[in-house]
Amino acid sequence: MRRCPKVFEKEAMAIFDQYLEDTPDEETEELDLTAEEEDALLKEHYRHWEAYLLEHASSLLREWYVYYNSRCGDESELYDYDGTYLIGESGYPIQRWDISDDHRIVDETGKQIYYSNGEPILAKKMSTELFEYLKQYGWLDEDATEEAMWY
């Protein structure tokens, strides 16, 4: 998982350890794979791990992972629907973005950001339970307001 609250990182790592125990080792031999074949194999393994994680995660970790962690990369690069980075006018991935007063995802100048299909990217509101949990564990300031529930 990308940058996340430590409590979720610990839970995800415990689930990963269990995943490794529950997943039988495959008999492997030295395979002569192309880069594309190797990439496809890694993506398939990741899909299996992700499904296992979502099946075993707490409701709060699942909410974090599905709705917030999946939105952007390690350095806040926004993802498009297909998992690639959204590219800004500069030709580089969009890393700096904000949430407008009407809960739209906007660039540094306040201009609406869109997915590649033309759909505007809207902020998502986390549950009150997740909001309070993140405050409790120090991910959000104790005095964070309801406005911090939007991501």
Side-chain angles (χ1 to χ4, degrees), residues 17-49:
D17 289 343
Q18 188 63 49
Y19 171 76
L20 293 177
E21 286 181 30
D22 291 350
T23 305
D25 287 338
E26 296 177 12
E27 290 296 321
T28 59
E29 53 189 65
E30 199 62 34
L31 299 174
D32 188 23
L33 299 175
T34 65
E36 292 82 18
E37 292 169 328
E38 188 174 310
D39 189 46
L41 185 61
L42 287 172
K43 285 180 180 176
E44 182 63 23
H45 281 293
Y46 182 77
R47 279 191 289 274
H48 285 255
W49 150 242

